[in-house]
Amino acid sequence: VARLDEATCRSRLAQARHGVLATVHDQRGTDAVPVVFAAFGTGFVVPVDTVKPKTSTRLGRAVNLEADARFCLLVDSWSEDWAELWWVRAHGTARAADPSELANAADALARRYPPYRTAGSIVAAILLDVQRWQGWAAR
Amino acid sequence: VARLDEATCRSRLAQARHGVLATVHDQRGTDAVPVVFAAFGTGFVVPVDTVKPKTSTRLGRAVNLEADARFCLLVDSWSEDWAELWWVRAHGTARAADPSELANAADALARRYPPYRTAGSIVAAILLDVQRWQGWAAR
């Protein structure tokens, strides 16, 4: 078993193109949803966007995080060859980006994801402060 | 926005090769971990195996589910073309398979995953009873 050290965890998560954000839900226990993200400051930023179609920009993930700020962000690499498997997850607390932080947060996302280069595509952002790393690799 | 109906959710999840299982953790709020699974009875089965290297078969997911049985199982399809994105998730409660159920549960997993055709590769199983489906597709 390879437990991945914090530097490897951080590097693999920062390079991943997408992940899964798990949050606490009072009734359902947890919600998990795919997210895109970018490294931002010492942590990560997840957008609230107008690009991927939604019924509302009042997202379940944001509602959940207002009630309980704890998150788990998972990145995993799947392969039918299980010797290639690995995953990394970050635990910590989340908060909404301040208006003064939003432009920089949106820039960090736009550098990684071309659809966010369109003005107005990001309307809010969730900042993830990582307090704990865990990582696993099959070899 | 396309919300996926329950039949579509069930079908897409049953066909997926892997997913993410989110469970409740008292201190961290949630844990999310990649899992393989198979349709089993009216729900799904997740193995506790000896194939993917671990420090223990006393897995965090099982410990979490003993304390709080609520789970969220997510399958998502990533693409750089965001018109192709979709995800499905199932919410419900989990329990350990009884000894009398384990052989059938292991068979269901072995049919999908060749590494589980080796005797002794599955030592326990978690049964997922789905109470709620949610699904989303970009188009």
Side-chain angles (χ1 to χ4, degrees), chain A residues 1 3 17-18 23 26-32 34 52-53 55 70 72 76 78 80 82 85 89 91 116 132 136 138, chain B residues 3 17-18 23 26-32 34 52-55 70 72 76 78 80 85 89 91 116 132 136 138:
Chain A
V1 192
R3 290 188 178 278
R17 294 294 292 165
H18 68 117
T23 55
D26 185 38
Q27 300 298 311
R28 295 190 288 273
T30 64
D31 283 335
K52 300 182 236 82
T55 46
R70 295 175 294 176
C72 175
D76 80 293
W78 168 253
E80 294 289 341
W82 290 356
L85 296 177
R89 69 187 181 198
H91 289 271
Y116 292 146
R132 183 171 191 269
W136 174 93
Chain B
R3 291 187 178 278
R17 294 295 292 165
H18 67 118
T23 56
D26 185 39
Q27 300 299 312
R28 296 190 288 273
T30 65
D31 283 336
K52 299 182 237 82
K54 295 169 188 71
T55 47
R70 294 174 296 176
C72 175
D76 79 294
W78 169 253
E80 293 289 340
L85 297 177
R89 70 187 180 198
H91 290 271
Y116 292 146
R132 183 170 190 268
W136 173 94

Tab-separated table of all heavy atoms in Angstrom, chain A residues 1 3 17-18 23 26-32 34 52-53 55 70 72 76 78 80 82 85 89 91 116 132 136 138, chain B residues 3 17-18 23 26-32 34 52-55 70 72 76 78 80 85 89 91 116 132 136 138:
chain	number	residue	atom	x	y	z
A	1	VAL	N	0.858	-1.196	0.000
A	1	VAL	CA	0.000	0.000	0.000
A	1	VAL	C	0.888	1.237	0.000
A	1	VAL	O	1.828	1.323	0.781
A	1	VAL	CB	-0.856	0.094	1.277
A	1	VAL	CG1	-1.915	1.148	1.131
A	1	VAL	CG2	-1.433	-1.243	1.611
A	3	ARG	N	0.626	5.033	0.901
A	3	ARG	CA	-0.062	6.248	1.342
A	3	ARG	C	0.701	7.411	0.741
A	3	ARG	O	1.924	7.458	0.824
A	3	ARG	CB	-0.038	6.344	2.872
A	3	ARG	CG	-0.919	5.314	3.519
A	3	ARG	CD	-1.050	5.546	5.011
A	3	ARG	NE	-1.938	4.553	5.589
A	3	ARG	CZ	-3.267	4.633	5.575
A	3	ARG	NH1	-3.870	5.682	5.053
A	3	ARG	NH2	-4.005	3.685	6.098
A	17	ARG	N	-8.407	17.518	-13.501
A	17	ARG	CA	-9.331	18.377	-14.247
A	17	ARG	C	-10.703	18.469	-13.585
A	17	ARG	O	-11.484	19.371	-13.888
A	17	ARG	CB	-9.503	17.846	-15.675
A	17	ARG	CG	-8.233	17.936	-16.505
A	17	ARG	CD	-7.818	19.360	-16.766
A	17	ARG	NE	-8.748	20.059	-17.645
A	17	ARG	CZ	-8.777	21.392	-17.794
A	17	ARG	NH1	-7.951	22.166	-17.107
A	17	ARG	NH2	-9.630	21.958	-18.612
A	18	HIS	N	-11.014	17.526	-12.747
A	18	HIS	CA	-12.313	17.551	-12.066
A	18	HIS	C	-12.242	16.658	-10.842
A	18	HIS	O	-11.333	15.828	-10.714
A	18	HIS	CB	-13.445	17.076	-12.990
A	18	HIS	CG	-13.359	15.632	-13.345
A	18	HIS	ND1	-14.313	14.713	-12.991
A	18	HIS	CD2	-12.400	14.946	-13.997
A	18	HIS	CE1	-13.947	13.529	-13.431
A	18	HIS	NE2	-12.793	13.635	-14.044
A	23	THR	N	-20.454	17.125	0.692
A	23	THR	CA	-20.844	18.056	1.750
A	23	THR	C	-21.865	17.366	2.647
A	23	THR	O	-22.399	16.301	2.316
A	23	THR	CB	-21.446	19.349	1.154
A	23	THR	OG1	-22.541	18.998	0.289
A	23	THR	CG2	-20.400	20.126	0.365
A	26	ASP	N	-28.367	17.678	6.134
A	26	ASP	CA	-29.048	17.341	7.375
A	26	ASP	C	-29.894	16.074	7.250
A	26	ASP	O	-29.819	15.180	8.092
A	26	ASP	CB	-29.933	18.533	7.773
A	26	ASP	CG	-30.591	18.324	9.124
A	26	ASP	OD1	-29.925	17.771	10.012
A	26	ASP	OD2	-31.757	18.696	9.275
A	27	GLN	N	-30.688	15.977	6.208
A	27	GLN	CA	-31.589	14.841	6.046
A	27	GLN	C	-30.901	13.648	5.383
A	27	GLN	O	-31.013	12.524	5.832
A	27	GLN	CB	-32.800	15.243	5.184
A	27	GLN	CG	-33.621	16.372	5.776
A	27	GLN	CD	-34.222	16.004	7.127
A	27	GLN	OE1	-34.818	14.941	7.270
A	27	GLN	NE2	-34.029	16.854	8.121
A	28	ARG	N	-30.197	13.921	4.275
A	28	ARG	CA	-29.641	12.828	3.466
A	28	ARG	C	-28.292	12.354	3.982
A	28	ARG	O	-27.774	11.357	3.497
A	28	ARG	CB	-29.478	13.289	2.012
A	28	ARG	CG	-30.779	13.606	1.312
A	28	ARG	CD	-30.589	13.831	-0.175
A	28	ARG	NE	-29.921	15.064	-0.533
A	28	ARG	CZ	-30.506	16.242	-0.710
A	28	ARG	NH1	-31.808	16.357	-0.542
A	28	ARG	NH2	-29.809	17.307	-1.064
A	29	GLY	N	-27.700	13.084	4.934
A	29	GLY	CA	-26.389	12.715	5.451
A	29	GLY	C	-25.283	13.375	4.662
A	29	GLY	O	-24.555	14.224	5.183
A	30	THR	N	-25.170	13.006	3.390
A	30	THR	CA	-24.158	13.618	2.535
A	30	THR	C	-24.721	13.839	1.140
A	30	THR	O	-25.633	13.130	0.708
A	30	THR	CB	-22.916	12.715	2.371
A	30	THR	OG1	-23.305	11.520	1.693
A	30	THR	CG2	-22.297	12.345	3.707
A	31	ASP	N	-24.170	14.815	0.456
A	31	ASP	CA	-24.376	14.993	-0.976
A	31	ASP	C	-23.008	14.960	-1.630
A	31	ASP	O	-22.055	15.542	-1.101
A	31	ASP	CB	-25.019	16.359	-1.281
A	31	ASP	CG	-26.516	16.394	-0.985
A	31	ASP	OD1	-27.163	15.326	-0.997
A	31	ASP	OD2	-27.033	17.496	-0.764
A	32	ALA	N	-22.908	14.313	-2.760
A	32	ALA	CA	-21.664	14.314	-3.536
A	32	ALA	C	-21.992	14.796	-4.935
A	32	ALA	O	-23.009	14.396	-5.511
A	32	ALA	CB	-21.059	12.917	-3.584
A	34	PRO	N	-20.059	16.254	-8.810
A	34	PRO	CA	-18.825	16.537	-9.549
A	34	PRO	C	-18.580	18.041	-9.594
A	34	PRO	O	-19.531	18.819	-9.722
A	34	PRO	CB	-19.106	16.014	-10.964
A	34	PRO	CG	-20.401	15.295	-10.903
A	34	PRO	CD	-21.136	15.754	-9.686
A	52	LYS	N	-22.669	25.536	-17.114
A	52	LYS	CA	-23.326	24.230	-17.091
A	52	LYS	C	-24.774	24.458	-16.668
A	52	LYS	O	-25.036	25.086	-15.643
A	52	LYS	CB	-22.601	23.302	-16.110
A	52	LYS	CG	-21.135	23.077	-16.500
A	52	LYS	CD	-20.436	22.115	-15.563
A	52	LYS	CE	-19.186	22.684	-14.939
A	52	LYS	NZ	-19.479	23.544	-13.756
A	53	PRO	N	-25.732	24.005	-17.457
A	53	PRO	CA	-27.133	24.367	-17.206
A	53	PRO	C	-27.619	23.889	-15.837
A	53	PRO	O	-27.318	22.773	-15.432
A	53	PRO	CB	-27.906	23.633	-18.316
A	53	PRO	CG	-26.903	23.027	-19.213
A	53	PRO	CD	-25.548	23.145	-18.622
A	55	THR	N	-30.994	24.583	-12.767
A	55	THR	CA	-32.297	25.198	-12.544
A	55	THR	C	-32.152	26.475	-11.723
A	55	THR	O	-33.012	27.330	-11.735
A	55	THR	CB	-33.252	24.229	-11.808
A	55	THR	OG1	-32.544	23.647	-10.722
A	55	THR	CG2	-33.704	23.128	-12.738
A	70	ARG	N	-17.977	21.939	6.513
A	70	ARG	CA	-17.004	20.870	6.249
A	70	ARG	C	-17.199	20.248	4.865
A	70	ARG	O	-18.314	19.905	4.486
A	70	ARG	CB	-17.116	19.797	7.335
A	70	ARG	CG	-16.741	20.299	8.715
A	70	ARG	CD	-16.978	19.252	9.780
A	70	ARG	NE	-18.404	18.945	9.927
A	70	ARG	CZ	-18.883	18.008	10.738
A	70	ARG	NH1	-18.055	17.280	11.462
A	70	ARG	NH2	-20.184	17.797	10.821
A	72	CYS	N	-15.355	17.525	1.729
A	72	CYS	CA	-14.357	16.534	1.309
A	72	CYS	C	-14.278	16.635	-0.205
A	72	CYS	O	-15.299	16.518	-0.896
A	72	CYS	CB	-14.801	15.138	1.741
A	72	CYS	SG	-13.732	13.808	1.161
A	76	ASP	N	-10.047	10.966	-8.100
A	76	ASP	CA	-9.587	9.583	-8.245
A	76	ASP	C	-9.290	9.262	-9.689
A	76	ASP	O	-9.850	9.856	-10.605
A	76	ASP	CB	-10.588	8.598	-7.638
A	76	ASP	CG	-11.769	8.318	-8.535
A	76	ASP	OD1	-12.579	9.236	-8.770
A	76	ASP	OD2	-11.901	7.179	-9.015
A	78	TRP	N	-9.329	6.265	-12.272
A	78	TRP	CA	-9.856	4.928	-12.502
A	78	TRP	C	-9.095	4.225	-13.608
A	78	TRP	O	-8.691	4.847	-14.586
A	78	TRP	CB	-11.342	4.994	-12.883
A	78	TRP	CG	-11.861	3.680	-13.401
A	78	TRP	CD1	-12.175	3.369	-14.696
A	78	TRP	CD2	-12.124	2.499	-12.639
A	78	TRP	NE1	-12.613	2.073	-14.776
A	78	TRP	CE2	-12.588	1.516	-13.530
A	78	TRP	CE3	-12.006	2.184	-11.289
A	78	TRP	CZ2	-12.939	0.228	-13.113
A	78	TRP	CZ3	-12.341	0.904	-10.866
A	78	TRP	CH2	-12.809	-0.055	-11.769
A	80	GLU	N	-9.103	-0.023	-15.418
A	80	GLU	CA	-9.466	-1.435	-15.282
A	80	GLU	C	-8.283	-2.239	-14.754
A	80	GLU	O	-8.464	-3.329	-14.212
A	80	GLU	CB	-9.965	-2.000	-16.621
A	80	GLU	CG	-11.283	-1.390	-17.101
A	80	GLU	CD	-12.507	-1.806	-16.276
A	80	GLU	OE1	-12.451	-2.818	-15.554
A	80	GLU	OE2	-13.536	-1.094	-16.348
A	82	TRP	N	-6.125	-2.503	-11.918
A	82	TRP	CA	-6.211	-1.963	-10.567
A	82	TRP	C	-4.847	-1.628	-9.975
A	82	TRP	O	-4.769	-0.969	-8.927
A	82	TRP	CB	-7.005	-2.912	-9.662
A	82	TRP	CG	-8.464	-2.931	-10.031
A	82	TRP	CD1	-9.078	-2.167	-10.986
A	82	TRP	CD2	-9.494	-3.731	-9.450
A	82	TRP	NE1	-10.420	-2.439	-11.035
A	82	TRP	CE2	-10.701	-3.409	-10.101
A	82	TRP	CE3	-9.508	-4.686	-8.442
A	82	TRP	CZ2	-11.913	-4.008	-9.779
A	82	TRP	CZ3	-10.719	-5.283	-8.104
A	82	TRP	CH2	-11.909	-4.950	-8.773
A	85	LEU	N	-4.588	2.228	-9.902
A	85	LEU	CA	-5.548	3.061	-9.159
A	85	LEU	C	-4.855	3.980	-8.154
A	85	LEU	O	-3.894	3.605	-7.500
A	85	LEU	CB	-6.532	2.166	-8.387
A	85	LEU	CG	-7.450	1.263	-9.203
A	85	LEU	CD1	-8.292	0.408	-8.254
A	85	LEU	CD2	-8.338	2.073	-10.120
A	89	ARG	N	-7.728	12.818	-1.364
A	89	ARG	CA	-8.823	13.666	-0.909
A	89	ARG	C	-8.329	14.701	0.086
A	89	ARG	O	-7.348	14.487	0.811
A	89	ARG	CB	-9.985	12.853	-0.347
A	89	ARG	CG	-9.731	12.149	0.932
A	89	ARG	CD	-10.931	11.243	1.261
A	89	ARG	NE	-10.714	10.568	2.512
A	89	ARG	CZ	-11.377	9.488	2.915
A	89	ARG	NH1	-12.307	8.953	2.149
A	89	ARG	NH2	-11.136	8.930	4.076
A	91	HIS	N	-9.744	17.342	3.098
A	91	HIS	CA	-10.808	17.701	4.031
A	91	HIS	C	-10.544	19.096	4.568
A	91	HIS	O	-9.386	19.469	4.793
A	91	HIS	CB	-10.835	16.741	5.231
A	91	HIS	CG	-11.308	15.373	4.912
A	91	HIS	ND1	-12.623	15.011	4.960
A	91	HIS	CD2	-10.634	14.274	4.530
A	91	HIS	CE1	-12.745	13.737	4.628
A	91	HIS	NE2	-11.552	13.265	4.365
A	116	TYR	N	-14.923	29.457	-19.010
A	116	TYR	CA	-15.018	30.530	-18.015
A	116	TYR	C	-14.370	31.824	-18.481
A	116	TYR	O	-14.344	32.796	-17.727
A	116	TYR	CB	-14.405	30.069	-16.687
A	116	TYR	CG	-15.200	28.983	-15.993
A	116	TYR	CD1	-14.564	27.995	-15.252
A	116	TYR	CD2	-16.590	28.949	-16.063
A	116	TYR	CE1	-15.286	26.992	-14.609
A	116	TYR	CE2	-17.313	27.948	-15.428
A	116	TYR	CZ	-16.661	26.982	-14.710
A	116	TYR	OH	-17.375	25.999	-14.072
A	132	ARG	N	-6.639	18.828	6.011
A	132	ARG	CA	-6.184	17.447	6.125
A	132	ARG	C	-6.133	16.823	4.738
A	132	ARG	O	-7.057	16.990	3.952
A	132	ARG	CB	-7.201	16.683	6.993
A	132	ARG	CG	-6.868	15.247	7.282
A	132	ARG	CD	-7.865	14.726	8.334
A	132	ARG	NE	-7.475	13.437	8.860
A	132	ARG	CZ	-7.866	12.272	8.354
A	132	ARG	NH1	-8.665	12.221	7.316
A	132	ARG	NH2	-7.459	11.139	8.912
A	136	TRP	N	-4.002	7.652	-1.498
A	136	TRP	CA	-3.770	6.216	-1.586
A	136	TRP	C	-3.396	5.864	-3.016
A	136	TRP	O	-3.950	6.428	-3.960
A	136	TRP	CB	-5.060	5.497	-1.178
A	136	TRP	CG	-5.044	4.007	-1.338
A	136	TRP	CD1	-4.712	3.090	-0.394
A	136	TRP	CD2	-5.398	3.268	-2.518
A	136	TRP	NE1	-4.827	1.819	-0.918
A	136	TRP	CE2	-5.242	1.897	-2.208
A	136	TRP	CE3	-5.811	3.622	-3.798
A	136	TRP	CZ2	-5.494	0.884	-3.148
A	136	TRP	CZ3	-6.053	2.621	-4.726
A	136	TRP	CH2	-5.903	1.269	-4.392
A	138	ALA	N	-2.357	2.221	-5.418
A	138	ALA	CA	-2.266	0.763	-5.381
A	138	ALA	C	-0.809	0.310	-5.398
A	138	ALA	O	-0.498	-0.785	-4.943
A	138	ALA	CB	-3.024	0.157	-6.553
B	3	ARG	N	-33.149	16.914	-16.065
B	3	ARG	CA	-33.145	16.065	-14.877
B	3	ARG	C	-33.444	14.661	-15.367
B	3	ARG	O	-34.372	14.449	-16.134
B	3	ARG	CB	-34.223	16.519	-13.892
B	3	ARG	CG	-33.898	17.850	-13.263
B	3	ARG	CD	-34.891	18.190	-12.157
B	3	ARG	NE	-34.513	19.449	-11.548
B	3	ARG	CZ	-33.576	19.572	-10.605
B	3	ARG	NH1	-32.932	18.509	-10.156
B	3	ARG	NH2	-33.276	20.755	-10.113
B	17	ARG	N	-18.703	1.635	-14.354
B	17	ARG	CA	-17.661	0.712	-13.877
B	17	ARG	C	-17.178	1.069	-12.480
B	17	ARG	O	-16.566	0.252	-11.812
B	17	ARG	CB	-16.476	0.715	-14.848
B	17	ARG	CG	-16.812	0.144	-16.203
B	17	ARG	CD	-17.160	-1.320	-16.138
B	17	ARG	NE	-16.008	-2.152	-15.787
B	17	ARG	CZ	-16.087	-3.416	-15.396
B	17	ARG	NH1	-17.265	-4.010	-15.279
B	17	ARG	NH2	-15.002	-4.089	-15.103
B	18	HIS	N	-17.393	2.306	-12.079
B	18	HIS	CA	-16.941	2.725	-10.741
B	18	HIS	C	-17.701	3.976	-10.350
B	18	HIS	O	-18.287	4.657	-11.199
B	18	HIS	CB	-15.436	3.009	-10.714
B	18	HIS	CG	-15.038	4.188	-11.528
B	18	HIS	ND1	-14.443	5.309	-10.987
B	18	HIS	CD2	-15.185	4.437	-12.855
B	18	HIS	CE1	-14.226	6.179	-11.961
B	18	HIS	NE2	-14.654	5.680	-13.093
B	23	THR	N	-19.946	8.968	2.724
B	23	THR	CA	-20.539	8.553	3.992
B	23	THR	C	-20.332	9.668	5.016
B	23	THR	O	-19.566	10.609	4.784
B	23	THR	CB	-19.898	7.248	4.495
B	23	THR	OG1	-18.477	7.433	4.588
B	23	THR	CG2	-20.197	6.086	3.562
B	26	ASP	N	-18.189	11.648	11.796
B	26	ASP	CA	-18.522	12.513	12.914
B	26	ASP	C	-17.628	13.761	12.953
B	26	ASP	O	-18.123	14.884	13.121
B	26	ASP	CB	-18.355	11.694	14.208
B	26	ASP	CG	-18.786	12.471	15.426
B	26	ASP	OD1	-19.789	13.202	15.324
B	26	ASP	OD2	-18.124	12.357	16.475
B	27	GLN	N	-16.347	13.589	12.812
B	27	GLN	CA	-15.420	14.717	12.923
B	27	GLN	C	-15.257	15.460	11.599
B	27	GLN	O	-15.314	16.681	11.545
B	27	GLN	CB	-14.029	14.227	13.370
B	27	GLN	CG	-14.016	13.522	14.714
B	27	GLN	CD	-14.475	14.426	15.846
B	27	GLN	OE1	-14.025	15.556	15.963
B	27	GLN	NE2	-15.398	13.953	16.660
B	28	ARG	N	-15.033	14.710	10.519
B	28	ARG	CA	-14.706	15.343	9.230
B	28	ARG	C	-15.948	15.748	8.450
B	28	ARG	O	-15.823	16.405	7.423
B	28	ARG	CB	-13.893	14.358	8.374
B	28	ARG	CG	-12.541	13.998	8.966
B	28	ARG	CD	-11.676	13.227	7.979
B	28	ARG	NE	-12.114	11.863	7.747
B	28	ARG	CZ	-11.752	10.801	8.477
B	28	ARG	NH1	-10.954	10.961	9.511
B	28	ARG	NH2	-12.182	9.589	8.166
B	29	GLY	N	-17.122	15.331	8.907
B	29	GLY	CA	-18.362	15.661	8.200
B	29	GLY	C	-18.697	14.584	7.187
B	29	GLY	O	-19.700	13.894	7.317
B	30	THR	N	-17.839	14.449	6.180
B	30	THR	CA	-18.061	13.429	5.156
B	30	THR	C	-16.735	12.812	4.757
B	30	THR	O	-15.685	13.450	4.855
B	30	THR	CB	-18.695	14.013	3.877
B	30	THR	OG1	-17.772	14.910	3.274
B	30	THR	CG2	-19.987	14.741	4.166
B	31	ASP	N	-16.800	11.581	4.300
B	31	ASP	CA	-15.688	10.930	3.607
B	31	ASP	C	-16.200	10.517	2.236
B	31	ASP	O	-17.333	10.028	2.125
B	31	ASP	CB	-15.233	9.671	4.355
B	31	ASP	CG	-14.384	9.970	5.581
B	31	ASP	OD1	-13.758	11.051	5.638
B	31	ASP	OD2	-14.343	9.121	6.482
B	32	ALA	N	-15.390	10.688	1.227
B	32	ALA	CA	-15.737	10.210	-0.116
B	32	ALA	C	-14.608	9.318	-0.586
B	32	ALA	O	-13.432	9.651	-0.391
B	32	ALA	CB	-15.921	11.386	-1.071
B	34	PRO	N	-13.518	6.281	-3.820
B	34	PRO	CA	-13.929	5.567	-5.036
B	34	PRO	C	-14.304	4.133	-4.695
B	34	PRO	O	-13.663	3.511	-3.846
B	34	PRO	CB	-12.670	5.575	-5.916
B	34	PRO	CG	-11.683	6.460	-5.257
B	34	PRO	CD	-12.075	6.598	-3.830
B	52	LYS	N	-7.371	-4.840	-3.884
B	52	LYS	CA	-6.735	-3.526	-3.877
B	52	LYS	C	-6.041	-3.368	-2.525
B	52	LYS	O	-6.664	-3.534	-1.475
B	52	LYS	CB	-7.788	-2.442	-4.103
B	52	LYS	CG	-8.498	-2.585	-5.453
B	52	LYS	CD	-9.511	-1.463	-5.694
B	52	LYS	CE	-10.926	-1.959	-5.946
B	52	LYS	NZ	-11.667	-2.274	-4.702
B	53	PRO	N	-4.749	-3.093	-2.532
B	53	PRO	CA	-3.992	-3.113	-1.276
B	53	PRO	C	-4.522	-2.107	-0.260
B	53	PRO	O	-4.860	-0.983	-0.612
B	53	PRO	CB	-2.571	-2.734	-1.700
B	53	PRO	CG	-2.555	-2.633	-3.173
B	53	PRO	CD	-3.944	-2.738	-3.700
B	54	LYS	N	-4.612	-2.554	0.980
B	54	LYS	CA	-5.116	-1.716	2.062
B	54	LYS	C	-4.298	-2.019	3.305
B	54	LYS	O	-3.689	-3.071	3.405
B	54	LYS	CB	-6.582	-2.045	2.359
B	54	LYS	CG	-7.510	-1.722	1.217
B	54	LYS	CD	-8.893	-2.307	1.433
B	54	LYS	CE	-9.729	-2.133	0.180
B	54	LYS	NZ	-9.281	-3.021	-0.924
B	55	THR	N	-4.358	-1.106	4.246
B	55	THR	CA	-3.696	-1.398	5.512
B	55	THR	C	-4.556	-2.308	6.379
B	55	THR	O	-4.074	-2.963	7.272
B	55	THR	CB	-3.387	-0.090	6.285
B	55	THR	OG1	-4.553	0.731	6.265
B	55	THR	CG2	-2.251	0.661	5.620
B	70	ARG	N	-26.434	6.264	6.404
B	70	ARG	CA	-26.794	6.996	5.186
B	70	ARG	C	-25.607	7.096	4.230
B	70	ARG	O	-24.505	7.457	4.636
B	70	ARG	CB	-27.297	8.393	5.547
B	70	ARG	CG	-28.601	8.360	6.325
B	70	ARG	CD	-28.998	9.736	6.796
B	70	ARG	NE	-28.036	10.299	7.743
B	70	ARG	CZ	-28.122	11.527	8.253
B	70	ARG	NH1	-29.112	12.315	7.885
B	70	ARG	NH2	-27.220	11.957	9.117
B	72	CYS	N	-24.320	8.197	-0.013
B	72	CYS	CA	-24.578	8.804	-1.321
B	72	CYS	C	-23.607	8.144	-2.283
B	72	CYS	O	-22.391	8.171	-2.055
B	72	CYS	CB	-24.356	10.310	-1.239
B	72	CYS	SG	-24.515	11.172	-2.828
B	76	ASP	N	-20.278	9.870	-12.192
B	76	ASP	CA	-20.297	11.017	-13.086
B	76	ASP	C	-19.453	10.740	-14.309
B	76	ASP	O	-18.516	9.956	-14.289
B	76	ASP	CB	-19.853	12.296	-12.383
B	76	ASP	CG	-18.358	12.416	-12.245
B	76	ASP	OD1	-17.771	11.605	-11.517
B	76	ASP	OD2	-17.772	13.327	-12.854
B	78	TRP	N	-17.190	12.586	-16.989
B	78	TRP	CA	-16.454	13.814	-17.260
B	78	TRP	C	-16.125	13.935	-18.739
B	78	TRP	O	-15.837	12.934	-19.409
B	78	TRP	CB	-15.146	13.851	-16.460
B	78	TRP	CG	-14.225	14.946	-16.892
B	78	TRP	CD1	-13.066	14.805	-17.611
B	78	TRP	CD2	-14.390	16.351	-16.660
B	78	TRP	NE1	-12.501	16.041	-17.824
B	78	TRP	CE2	-13.298	17.005	-17.257
B	78	TRP	CE3	-15.368	17.111	-16.012
B	78	TRP	CZ2	-13.148	18.395	-17.226
B	78	TRP	CZ3	-15.224	18.491	-15.983
B	78	TRP	CH2	-14.120	19.117	-16.573
B	80	GLU	N	-14.226	17.191	-21.410
B	80	GLU	CA	-13.842	18.593	-21.573
B	80	GLU	C	-14.927	19.348	-22.354
B	80	GLU	O	-15.016	20.566	-22.275
B	80	GLU	CB	-12.481	18.708	-22.276
B	80	GLU	CG	-11.302	18.174	-21.452
B	80	GLU	CD	-10.934	19.047	-20.243
B	80	GLU	OE1	-11.304	20.237	-20.209
B	80	GLU	OE2	-10.268	18.514	-19.323
B	85	LEU	N	-21.560	16.415	-20.244
B	85	LEU	CA	-21.525	16.068	-18.815
B	85	LEU	C	-22.842	15.470	-18.332
B	85	LEU	O	-23.919	15.920	-18.728
B	85	LEU	CB	-21.221	17.313	-17.966
B	85	LEU	CG	-19.874	18.000	-18.172
B	85	LEU	CD1	-19.793	19.255	-17.311
B	85	LEU	CD2	-18.730	17.064	-17.838
B	89	ARG	N	-26.858	10.238	-8.906
B	89	ARG	CA	-26.539	9.791	-7.559
B	89	ARG	C	-27.731	9.121	-6.898
B	89	ARG	O	-28.885	9.417	-7.190
B	89	ARG	CB	-25.973	10.923	-6.696
B	89	ARG	CG	-26.931	11.988	-6.312
B	89	ARG	CD	-26.170	13.123	-5.596
B	89	ARG	NE	-27.084	14.170	-5.220
B	89	ARG	CZ	-26.727	15.418	-4.898
B	89	ARG	NH1	-25.462	15.767	-4.928
B	89	ARG	NH2	-27.629	16.305	-4.557
B	91	HIS	N	-29.208	7.979	-3.072
B	91	HIS	CA	-29.154	8.161	-1.622
B	91	HIS	C	-29.931	7.026	-0.967
B	91	HIS	O	-30.956	6.594	-1.487
B	91	HIS	CB	-29.811	9.481	-1.208
B	91	HIS	CG	-29.053	10.699	-1.589
B	91	HIS	ND1	-28.099	11.260	-0.788
B	91	HIS	CD2	-29.103	11.475	-2.695
B	91	HIS	CE1	-27.598	12.343	-1.368
B	91	HIS	NE2	-28.195	12.496	-2.535
B	116	TYR	N	-12.134	-10.329	-8.999
B	116	TYR	CA	-12.918	-10.934	-7.924
B	116	TYR	C	-13.255	-12.402	-8.190
B	116	TYR	O	-13.948	-13.032	-7.398
B	116	TYR	CB	-14.197	-10.128	-7.674
B	116	TYR	CG	-13.948	-8.757	-7.086
B	116	TYR	CD1	-14.754	-7.678	-7.412
B	116	TYR	CD2	-12.909	-8.538	-6.194
B	116	TYR	CE1	-14.536	-6.419	-6.879
B	116	TYR	CE2	-12.670	-7.284	-5.659
B	116	TYR	CZ	-13.490	-6.230	-6.003
B	116	TYR	OH	-13.264	-4.990	-5.472
B	132	ARG	N	-33.632	7.193	-2.867
B	132	ARG	CA	-33.828	8.450	-3.596
B	132	ARG	C	-32.823	8.517	-4.731
B	132	ARG	O	-31.647	8.224	-4.532
B	132	ARG	CB	-33.589	9.615	-2.630
B	132	ARG	CG	-33.818	11.001	-3.196
B	132	ARG	CD	-33.784	12.015	-2.054
B	132	ARG	NE	-34.219	13.328	-2.494
B	132	ARG	CZ	-33.391	14.270	-2.939
B	132	ARG	NH1	-32.097	14.054	-3.012
B	132	ARG	NH2	-33.866	15.451	-3.319
B	136	TRP	N	-28.610	14.359	-13.437
B	136	TRP	CA	-28.504	15.621	-14.161
B	136	TRP	C	-27.721	15.375	-15.454
B	136	TRP	O	-26.752	14.599	-15.450
B	136	TRP	CB	-27.762	16.640	-13.277
B	136	TRP	CG	-27.432	17.936	-13.919
B	136	TRP	CD1	-28.177	19.088	-13.883
B	136	TRP	CD2	-26.251	18.247	-14.681
B	136	TRP	NE1	-27.530	20.081	-14.591
B	136	TRP	CE2	-26.366	19.588	-15.081
B	136	TRP	CE3	-25.126	17.515	-15.074
B	136	TRP	CZ2	-25.373	20.220	-15.857
B	136	TRP	CZ3	-24.157	18.139	-15.844
B	136	TRP	CH2	-24.284	19.477	-16.227
B	138	ALA	N	-26.250	17.692	-18.970
B	138	ALA	CA	-26.115	19.034	-19.540
B	138	ALA	C	-27.067	19.225	-20.716
B	138	ALA	O	-27.429	20.352	-21.043
B	138	ALA	CB	-24.670	19.285	-19.972
